[in-house]
Amino acid sequence: MIQFKVGILGAGVISGIIADTLNELDGFTPYAVAARDKEKADKFGEEHNVDVRYGSYDELINDPEVELVYVGTVHSTHAELAKKCINAGKPVLVEKPFSYNAKTAGEVLQLAKEKNVFCGEAMWLRYLPLTKLINDIVSSGLIGESRTFVASLGYDLKDRERVTSMETAGGALLDVGVYPLTLAFMMFGGAPSAVASSFARLKTGVDAMSTLQLGFPKGKFATITSSIVSKLDNRGIVYGTAGRLEIDNVNCPTNLKIFGPTGEQTQEFNIKDKDKNGYEYQFMAARQAIIVGRPETPENKYTDIMALYSFTDAIRKTWKLNYPLPGEEQN
């Protein structure tokens, strides 16, 4: 099988997971890695079996052998690096959040359209088989008419500077909150029509945790809590008029349980044995789009990306939480 060569920008934890995934995935190879520090890139390459290592992002982006670039750097650099890839004619898959606001995200996507270069967001929830099954269950009426989605997602990430810094566009909303928000948007057909929220800040200025109460068309609702200061139960429940659907892990579902109207469990679904860790699906979708000449994947279209970050912009505006970054309103 012809190996699809992927270049990885950034040598952090998530990039390591991606490299390990690609090493096990038929038809892919983690061909190159780049970090701002060559020694860090070399260490990463040794640990994750990546042969080509660069001490600058530009070197990797301009390597003619690279067929797809994965951007795994801090949030604040995603848009800038994606633009560099697109201008170099390199298809690019950007780790979530695609960017820190809708303005910079839109600039990247507009450039991708103009240059006719594939550009996608590595929001793995939109590609996972169990996520698709959640949508099928919700739309099928198996639990009646789905009315309410309740979810939480939180970890103790206070010691991670990229998550707690305003300069890197950190905070609970963009780091973890986008996962349950994505599920809600997928299940209920897009952004909500009514919103109420409350949040707390860290001393650094980022949002430490928040609760969002969302109203969607046709009488549907969601309550979403996210945190970077404490571990939450990380579960989700969809309540319908004839039962409920329980999701074990809202940012990477591995188990789903369906309960009937009287509370009895009626069905259960688990990930398949052939699944690796879930990250493989976004890469397979990106390669397929590149091969057939599509600028986006059908699972996560440009309109989906813009809807999510237009919404997070609106939430942060009510909080008066603006990053000291280009394209942000400054108080």
Side-chain angles (χ1 to χ4, degrees):
M1 178 179 288
I2 297 175
Q3 296 294 300
F4 198 72
K5 295 180 179 179
V6 180
I8 300 171
L9 297 184
V13 174
I14 184 61
S15 292
I17 295 172
I18 293 301
D20 292 344
T21 302
L22 295 173
N23 273 315
E24 296 181 5
L25 188 58
D26 291 341
F28 287 84
T29 184
Y31 162 80
V33 62
R36 290 195 172 104
D37 181 340
K38 179 62 161 53
E39 289 186 4
K40 188 174 182 180
D42 286 334
K43 181 181 178 182
F44 181 98
E46 290 294 332
E47 293 176 349
H48 301 286
N49 192 32
V50 182
D51 292 334
V52 180
R53 301 111 184 223
Y54 293 114
S56 75
Y57 299 143
D58 288 344
E59 287 179 282
L60 185 148
I61 291 170
N62 292 314
D63 184 332
E65 292 294 313
V66 172
E67 296 171 284
L68 170 66
V69 178
Y70 166 79
V71 178
T73 55
V74 296
H75 302 170
S76 55
T77 62
H78 287 182
E80 174 191 358
L81 290 174
K83 285 180 181 178
K84 285 189 174 185
C85 293
I86 294 165
N87 279 322
K90 286 287 194 294
V92 59
L93 189 62
V94 184
E95 183 54 51
K96 69 81 200 165
F98 187 81
S99 189
Y100 52 85
N101 63 20
K103 183 178 187 299
T104 52
E107 290 170 355
V108 174
L109 297 178
Q110 182 59 40
L111 181 64
K113 289 179 183 178
E114 293 172 358
K115 299 287 187 178
N116 194 30
V117 174
F118 171 84
C119 181
E121 181 185 30
M123 171 54 78
W124 66 341
L125 265 182
R126 286 192 171 270
Y127 301 92
L128 295 173
L130 279 195
T131 306
K132 295 178 181 179
L133 181 57
I134 290 169
N135 275 341
D136 290 343
I137 292 170
V138 168
S139 60
S140 71
L142 192 59
I143 58 172
E145 186 176 355
S146 299
R147 290 289 193 181
T148 304
F149 175 51
V150 179
S152 71
L153 186 60
Y155 304 94
D156 186 351
L157 303 173
K158 296 189 296 294
D159 62 341
R160 299 193 186 184
E161 186 177 356
R162 69 163 186 84
V163 181
T164 61
S165 171
M166 291 288 284
E167 286 72 21
T168 56
L173 182 65
L174 289 187
D175 202 72
V176 296
V178 290
Y179 288 115
L181 276 173
T182 293
L183 268 183
F185 280 34
M186 292 176 72
M187 288 188 293
F188 295 154
S193 53
V195 181
S197 71
S198 58
F199 84 112
R201 290 182 191 261
L202 283 182
K203 291 181 180 179
T204 60
V206 303
D207 53 307
M209 63 184 305
S210 66
T211 295
L212 310 178
Q213 293 179 307
L214 313 176
F216 293 85
K218 300 181 180 179
K220 301 180 186 299
F221 303 92
T223 300
I224 293 171
T225 299
S226 57
S227 174
I228 56 168
V229 294
S230 58
K231 178 75 161 62
L232 303 181
D233 69 5
N234 299 346
R235 299 175 69 245
I237 303 177
V238 185
Y239 294 97
T241 55
R244 72 182 187 273
L245 167 65
E246 294 190 356
I247 305 164
D248 70 324
N249 191 359
V250 294
N251 70 325
C252 182
T254 58
N255 178 271
L256 308 177
K257 293 179 180 178
I258 297 176
F259 295 82
T262 60
E264 76 286 0
Q265 182 178 323
T266 59
Q267 293 188 62
E268 183 172 359
F269 303 92
N270 294 284
I271 60 171
K272 297 178 181 179
D273 292 339
K274 68 178 181 180
D275 290 5
K276 301 185 184 306
N277 58 17
Y279 291 100
E280 65 267 28
Y281 296 104
Q282 58 197 5
F283 281 93
M284 292 188 291
R287 182 175 67 173
Q288 180 62 23
I290 293 165
I291 290 172
V292 301
R294 286 199 303 260
E296 60 187 358
T297 64
E299 292 90 348
N300 196 15
K301 297 178 180 178
Y302 290 176
T303 51
D304 298 321
I305 295 171
M306 291 304 298
L308 180 60
Y309 297 107
S310 295
F311 177 77
T312 57
D313 278 1
I315 290 293
R316 289 193 298 111
K317 185 173 183 179
T318 67
W319 296 346
K320 295 183 171 56
L321 195 162
N322 301 316
Y323 300 115
L325 296 168
E328 286 277 278
E329 293 182 8
Q330 301 304 324
N331 294 329

